[in-house]
Amino acid sequence: MMTRVAVIGAGPAGLVSAREALRQGCDVTVFESGASVGGVWVHSAAVEDDPLGEASVQTVHSSLYDSLTTNIPRDLMAYSDFTFDSAGGGEDDWPRFPHHTCVRRYLDRFADRFDIRRHIHFNETVWRVAKQAASWQITTDHGVSEHDAVMVCNGHYAKPRVPVLPGIEQFDGQLIHSHNYRNPDSFAGKRVLIWGTSASGLDISAEVAEVADHVFWCGNAFDREASISPRRSGHPSPARVSSEGSVIAGGEPLDADVLIYCTGYHYTYPFLDDAVVSVDDNWVRGLHRDILPPRYSNLGFIGLPFLIIPFPIFEIQARWFVHHLTGKGTLPTVVAMTAADSARIAALQAKGTLQRHYHRLGDQQIAYYNELAAECGVDPMPDWFIKTWQAVGEARAALGDRYKFAAIPVLGPTHCC
Ligand code: FAD
């Protein structure tokens, strides 16, 4: 009998998981809350009723702002055998860092090319995934079904993380999380404090500075030189709000009308029991290879790591998971997997890594990719990919937030002009 695989979510991780499970001969059912494929890449003009996204009644999945262009060149974003040009799912004349609408079209074409859509149950949210003797029972809006394995691909950019800021009740301006930011129009002429220095903080602080009276860009990792301009100044992370309502950062009072939190997101799996997997400050505890709980080798989390080039990493994770699921590879014993994960966490702790960064791969992603590839007998990350990725890093270091204008060499199969 074919292995029955349920995939939760039809974003980039869910699509490639479904494709991989189909390719390896499984019977696949994808459950998707929304009406389209693409996940984050399905832009929503609508925002949530709570701008901080903490108590929203109407939730919105996508965090894309209107102007968003990718922060990774499209030749690196592509899945391994579906280039981001006219030979695959893109167009040759799209910019190297295309607008988000291009990524959605690429994903739509991927779903069509690999005939994934007919396996997707749209508008069907998974509410519960319960362990049975050797399978999983899934409860959705439309009923209950039984599956031999589950690939969890629900994403981790939809539930805003809003750090505690002592005295915030004294702030009488507007509070909003980047999840509910779409464009700078309503900030014209205002003094805006932007908290966060990763991708969203970088983009949003730059575009708000075009129209605002002033932007205070706060965070622990801002590039002071790149951040300073007449309308945008750099500061450490906020420490508190004074009794007068000023945000105190680096001992300095900053008087702002708006505070935009670009402070990231929570990982959540509301459909799984804590006994199966528990999340503690964005650390999904105890996973082997950041993919599966050692005791449940038929439950795979695809797409967990961050600071990665997502689509290729999702693809190799999915391939690795299904490879083992279908009996083509042998996993270490539960004891060995648990011990390896404990050793990895101990090494991160010894380095002083924040718990919420335990799934951050960054420079480790190539080694990670190659380990998974070796364990399922496929080629390691190609040389052109590594060289292009290094060139992007160099452009970022040299040009700060203007890196997308750098002449990065085209070394791989995707046609880019
Ligand atoms: P998602 O894309 O979030 O998809 C998850 C899907 O699961 C959604 O369709 C959702 O509706 C569905 N779902 C969730 N819960 C359930 C449930 N209970 N039942 C059924 N369905 C459910 N990546 C890049 O490669 N390049 C970039 O330039 C880039 N820029 C980004 C900019 C922003 C602002 C953000 C937020 C992310 C960016 N990313 C970028 C990362 C992006 O998240 C990934 O590219 C990718 O979308 C993650 O795919 P995913 O499938 O894991 O999750």
Side-chain angles (χ1 to χ4, degrees):
M1 202 173 89
M2 288 165 94
T3 308
R4 297 160 305 169
V5 176
V7 176
I8 303 177
L15 289 175
V16 78
S17 294
R19 194 257 167 137
E20 215 29 72
L22 289 167
R23 207 180 57 79
Q24 297 193 45
C26 301
D27 174 12
V28 175
T29 308
V30 182
F31 298 104
E32 167 53 53
S33 293
S36 320
V37 303
V40 156
W41 299 98
V42 181
H43 173 267
S44 157
V47 293
E48 298 179 343
D49 42 304
D50 173 7
L52 282 179
E54 291 188 302
S56 302
V57 177
Q58 294 297 326
T59 57
V60 167
H61 187 78
S62 181
S63 313
L64 295 185
Y65 26 97
D66 300 348
S67 66
L68 186 133
T69 56
T70 68
N71 54 15
I72 299 170
R74 65 183 157 89
D75 37 328
L76 292 186
M77 279 182 66
Y79 299 117
S80 65
D81 59 352
F82 196 63
T83 51
F84 218 123
D85 58 12
S86 59
E91 305 289 338
D92 296 347
D93 60 357
W94 280 351
R96 194 78 181 277
F97 295 88
H99 188 245
H100 62 78
T101 46
C102 301
V103 183
R104 182 171 179 189
R105 282 169 70 191
Y106 171 85
L107 293 167
D108 266 326
R109 289 171 182 173
F110 181 83
D112 291 335
R113 167 70 183 77
F114 298 105
D115 199 14
I116 298 167
R117 257 179 239 278
R118 68 193 171 89
H119 300 275
I120 306 177
H121 296 207
F122 288 107
N123 302 308
E124 192 164 342
T125 297
V126 170
W127 297 112
R128 185 159 164 71
V129 176
K131 184 80 189 92
Q132 306 296 290
S135 61
W136 296 94
Q137 187 184 66
I138 290 196
T139 306
T140 71
D141 312 78
H142 300 313
V144 176
S145 53
E146 196 93 0
H147 306 266
D148 301 310
V150 178
M151 298 175 84
V152 178
C153 308
N154 62 333
H156 49 83
Y157 292 104
K159 178 127 189 49
R161 177 179 165 273
V162 179
V164 172
L165 186 57
I168 190 65
E169 61 286 353
Q170 305 298 332
F171 185 81
D172 66 358
Q174 184 187 354
L175 299 174
I176 170 174
H177 188 278
S178 59
H179 181 60
N180 290 311
Y181 169 92
R182 294 293 177 267
N183 58 60
D185 299 353
S186 60
F187 306 118
K190 297 195 172 159
R191 296 166 70 79
V192 182
L193 190 148
I194 293 182
W195 183 0
T197 43
S198 59
S200 304
L202 178 69
D203 283 352
I204 294 174
S205 67
E207 75 174 14
V208 171
E210 304 265 310
V211 301
D213 175 57
H214 193 79
V215 166
F216 305 106
W217 188 24
C218 298
N220 296 332
F222 76 90
D223 175 338
R224 188 171 281 275
E225 251 172 60
S227 67
I228 289 177
S229 70
R231 300 257 275 273
R232 181 171 64 161
S233 51
H235 307 266
S237 286
R240 63 185 176 88
V241 177
S242 71
S243 50
E244 292 79 34
S246 306
V247 177
I248 310 294
E252 187 189 355
L254 307 175
D255 291 317
D257 308 306
V258 184
L259 197 174
I260 306 180
Y261 290 83
C262 299
T263 43
Y265 295 86
H266 290 293
Y267 285 67
T268 55
Y269 305 102
F271 40 77
L272 276 167
D273 284 345
D274 280 359
V276 173
V277 73
S278 68
V279 187
D280 184 359
D281 190 19
N282 278 1
W283 172 27
V284 187
R285 283 174 177 268
L287 298 185
H288 176 60
R289 294 266 186 261
D290 269 356
I291 298 177
L292 50 84
R295 283 184 304 139
Y296 307 113
S297 61
N298 56 353
L299 178 67
F301 292 80
I302 307 301
L304 214 83
F306 70 99
L307 213 63
I308 54 166
I309 299 185
F311 299 7
I313 295 286
F314 299 169
E315 182 175 7
I316 197 69
Q317 289 187 312
R319 186 169 290 195
W320 180 93
F321 176 77
V322 181
H323 177 85
H324 288 95
L325 180 70
T326 50
K328 300 182 196 87
T330 312
L331 287 167
T333 62
V334 171
V335 172
M337 288 191 273
T338 307
D341 182 61
S342 303
R344 188 180 75 93
I345 297 302
L348 289 169
Q349 283 166 342
K351 278 195 287 183
T353 306
L354 290 176
Q355 185 171 303
R356 66 174 192 274
H357 292 168
Y358 285 177
H359 298 297
R360 180 166 73 182
L361 284 184
D363 289 347
Q364 309 296 316
Q365 67 181 310
I366 292 171
Y368 176 78
Y369 182 104
N370 289 344
E371 276 165 16
L372 296 184
E375 287 177 20
C376 56
V378 299
D379 289 340
M381 187 97 92
D383 237 30
W384 70 263
F385 190 99
I386 299 170
K387 288 195 174 115
T388 311
W389 176 66
Q390 285 164 344
V392 176
E394 284 158 19
R396 279 209 179 101
L399 298 175
D401 57 4
R402 286 173 294 113
Y403 70 96
K404 294 186 190 177
F405 299 106
I408 296 162
V410 179
L411 304 171
T414 291
H415 182 95
C416 302
C417 43

